[in-house]
Amino acid sequence: VETDQGWIEGTAIIISIAVVTTTQAVTNWTKAKKFEEMERDQSITEVQVFRNGHEVTIDSSELVTGDLMIIEGGMMLSVDGIFVHGSHIKTNESAMTGEPDLIKKSLEKDPFFLSGTLVEEGEGRMLVVGVGMESIQGRLKEATDEVQADTPLQEHLTDFADKVARVAFSM
């Protein structure tokens, strides 16, 4: 390599790394946005609540603290709540607690409903006490969003790019 044209190789390497890194970042960002949009659309369902003494059907995204929500088997809860009335209600809280057993809900024993859990059996009513980022599921999501460490591959690529840049600039 001639010394007066050696900068061309270093510059080409730096440009190549910049293009690959930028392309990867844009692709990952686009995929993440599409996934969030799909997740948000799939999480909205119709629910029955009592408001102003009348039973109404609303989207789950319109639930507010203080709503009296009707729950039944097969329903995925998107809000936190407290048991008010019902019969034979059992929930699957394995997504939140890791416990595979169904949890029986009653006024006397475990009256709390957690967002992100599934009502497996029974029917009844619960008072909504936590919605969105103020629910258990929202707080967990917020906590996991804050901690985004680089993957081992990203760390390796960053180290490699730094080394290549040092070599290129030393030429």
Side-chain angles (χ1 to χ4, degrees):
V1 175
E2 295 180 25
T3 56
D4 60 341
Q5 294 181 0
W7 65 271
I8 295 174
E9 287 181 20
T11 304
I13 290 170
I14 290 172
I15 291 172
S16 298
I17 291 172
V19 167
V20 168
T21 304
T22 303
T23 303
Q24 181 183 15
V26 169
T27 301
N28 288 343
W29 182 79
T30 305
K31 286 180 181 178
K33 287 297 177 189
K34 285 182 182 177
F35 179 75
E36 286 175 9
E37 197 174 298
M38 179 190 71
E39 189 178 50
R40 185 174 42 251
D41 290 344
Q42 287 181 346
S43 67
I44 297 175
T45 59
E46 287 190 342
V47 295
Q48 283 79 36
V49 297
F50 282 97
R51 284 191 178 166
N52 300 324
H54 296 54
E55 184 177 335
V56 294
T57 301
I58 60 171
D59 286 342
S60 59
S61 62
E62 297 173 11
L63 285 166
V64 296
T65 302
D67 279 340
L68 189 60
M69 183 173 146
I70 298 173
I71 54 176
E72 54 191 21
M75 178 181 282
M76 179 65 77
L77 298 177
S78 60
V79 296
D80 295 338
I82 298 176
F83 181 92
V84 173
H85 171 66
S87 59
H88 309 293
I89 297 177
K90 293 183 181 178
T91 60
N92 180 343
E93 297 180 354
S94 61
M96 300 303 281
T97 64
E99 283 293 322
D101 298 332
L102 296 182
I103 310 296
K104 185 176 181 181
K105 301 293 180 175
S106 69
L107 285 174
E108 298 81 30
K109 184 178 179 186
D110 199 5
F112 303 104
F113 291 94
L114 303 176
S115 54
T117 61
L118 178 67
V119 178
E120 291 280 352
E121 299 176 12
E123 55 185 36
R125 297 178 187 161
M126 74 173 198
L127 179 66
V128 176
V129 295
V131 297
M133 296 309 282
E134 297 302 319
S135 67
I136 297 293
Q137 189 176 31
R139 289 180 183 171
L140 285 174
K141 182 176 180 353
E142 185 176 51
T144 57
D145 285 349
E146 290 175 2
V147 180
Q148 290 189 357
D150 286 343
T151 65
L153 176 60
Q154 289 170 326
E155 290 174 3
H156 182 70
L157 288 174
T158 301
D159 290 343
F160 179 70
D162 290 343
K163 290 175 184 175
V164 169
R166 284 189 203 120
V167 169
F169 284 125
S170 67
M171 291 183 169

